[in-house]
């Protein structure tokens, strides 16, 4: 059966549908030896030979779902033109070609999902599903109640207002403070830009939670396979658009006094 090339690439675990469109437009895909750049092109995996960068693709591989603790200094991409380390370098022993679900920037560490299940990845990344992502943020100096409140209510960035967030102080010392921020959007460098918008300088940023998945005792560079129960739970927790789910309430935080770190 003929299907759009971007759907076929996604099913084969090459990339998400959106990223597959970029791959096609760049002239990296061939069908029966002919380079294809038109996004509406269809092919049949049963009768056509489809290659990406000269390598034939295979549809129907077993589905793989990985949870990686991405260290600082790795690119969340499958290829970097500057030759920097990429997250797939850390997946020793994984035979299947997987790609990241969303992104963590070069200087951010923490939980990152990778999979070759295109439909699953698209479902999690769709804005209507509002998957919570929790971050631990270390900033220079002290954080005022007013700054926490601004972060919780939403701040204005160059690409618009952020949605309400859940923000809590964690600890502080003479030189820096830790705060917890939970968001459900996925804008580029969003947490860093939110903090900068309220006058906070981010020293360290770690994604510690993705929905119900937590970093626990994982070390930078470690990864594990999700259990079938975890995969099923992620699929159940996403809510399709058009279900009547209302907007989230403002992330008002509880005030609490922080004891200085000794």
């Amino acid at each position: 059966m003929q299907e759009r090339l971007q759907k076929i690439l996604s099913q084969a675990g090459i990339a998400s549908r959106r990223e597959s469109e970029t791959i096609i437009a760049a002239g990296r895909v061939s069908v029966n030896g002919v380079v294809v750049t038109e996004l509406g092109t269809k092919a049949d995996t049963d009768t056509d030979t489809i290659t990406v960068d000269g390598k034939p693709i295979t549809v129907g591989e077993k589905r793989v779902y990985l949870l990686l603790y991405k260290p600082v200094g790795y690119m969340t991409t499958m290829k970097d033109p500057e030759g920097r380390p990429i997250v797939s370098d850390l997946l020793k022993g994984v035979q299947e070609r997987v790609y990241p679900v969303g992104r963590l920037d070069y200087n951010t560490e923490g939980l990152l999902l990778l999979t070759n299940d295109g439909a699953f990845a698209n479902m999690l990344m769709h804005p209507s599903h509002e998957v919570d992502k929790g971050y631990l943020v270390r900033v220079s100096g002290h954080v005022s109640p007013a700054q926490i409140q601004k972060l919780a209510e939403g701040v204005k960035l160059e690409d618009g207002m952020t949605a309400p967030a859940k923000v809590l102080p964690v600890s502080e010392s003479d030189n820096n403070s830790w705060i917890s921020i939970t968001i459900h959007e996925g804008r580029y460098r969003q947490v860093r830009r939110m903090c900068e918008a309220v006058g906070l300088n981010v020293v360290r940023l770690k994604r510690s939670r993705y929905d119900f998945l937590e970093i626990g005792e994982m070390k930078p560079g470690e990864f594990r396979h999700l259990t079938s129960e975890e995969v099923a739970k992620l699929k159940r927790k996403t809510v399709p658009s058009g279900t009547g789910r209302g907007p989230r309430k403002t992330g008002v935080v509880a005030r609490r006094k922080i004891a200085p770190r000794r």
Side-chain angles (χ1 to χ4, degrees), residues 41-257:
T41 302
K42 294 184 177 181
D44 188 334
T45 54
D46 291 330
T47 58
D48 296 319
T49 300
I50 304 167
T51 62
V52 176
D53 298 330
K55 298 179 181 179
I57 68 169
T58 302
V59 177
E61 292 181 306
K62 77 171 184 177
R63 296 304 185 203
V64 177
Y65 308 89
L66 303 175
L67 188 65
L68 168 72
Y69 186 153
K70 174 198 166 303
V72 170
Y74 280 78
M75 297 295 294
T76 308
T77 182
M78 303 313 292
K79 182 182 292 187
D80 182 61
E82 298 180 27
R84 290 169 294 186
I86 57 177
V87 290
S88 60
D89 296 339
L90 299 166
L91 305 180
K92 307 302 182 185
V94 177
Q95 301 299 318
E96 295 80 9
R97 182 170 179 172
V98 296
Y99 54 90
V101 179
R103 292 180 181 274
L104 289 176
D105 68 43
Y106 186 75
N107 292 316
T108 300
E109 62 186 291
L111 292 186
L112 182 69
L113 284 174
L114 300 102
T115 185
N116 60 356
D117 186 338
F120 176 79
N122 289 329
M123 176 182 66
L124 288 176
M125 290 188 290
H126 196 282
S128 66
H129 294 142
E130 300 187 350
V131 176
D132 279 343
K133 294 169 279 284
Y135 295 82
L136 290 174
V137 191
R138 188 173 74 186
V139 298
S140 301
H142 301 287
V143 183
S144 70
Q147 288 172 314
I148 288 179
Q149 192 67 30
K150 286 179 182 178
L151 289 170
E153 293 176 347
V155 296
K156 186 175 182 180
L157 304 178
E158 60 269 24
D159 51 355
M161 288 290 296
T162 62
K166 298 175 184 176
V167 187
L168 285 171
V170 177
S171 65
E172 68 177 27
S173 65
D174 292 337
N175 299 319
N176 56 62
S177 304
W178 283 93
I179 58 175
S180 167
I181 300 178
T182 300
I183 62 173
H184 62 266
E185 296 176 289
R187 304 191 205 181
Y188 175 67
R189 299 181 73 248
Q190 181 174 339
V191 174
R192 289 184 186 274
R193 292 191 294 136
M194 287 171 64
C195 290
E196 290 167 2
V198 300
L200 296 174
N201 176 46
V202 175
V203 178
R204 185 179 177 187
L205 179 59
K206 178 169 73 172
R207 184 195 281 170
S208 57
R209 184 170 65 84
Y210 188 95
D211 200 80
F212 61 88
L213 299 168
E214 297 187 353
I215 206 161
E217 299 299 318
M218 292 182 72
K219 302 292 190 299
E222 291 183 347
F223 71 92
R224 68 173 179 85
H225 290 261
L226 294 187
T227 67
S228 57
E229 292 79 10
E230 288 172 332
V231 174
K233 188 173 180 180
L234 278 173
K235 291 182 177 180
R236 286 197 305 269
K237 287 179 72 68
T238 53
V239 180
S241 58
T243 58
R245 178 176 179 171
R248 296 192 172 201
K249 296 181 180 180
T250 300
V252 178
V253 300
R255 309 276 185 188
R256 62 173 178 172
K257 198 170 186 180

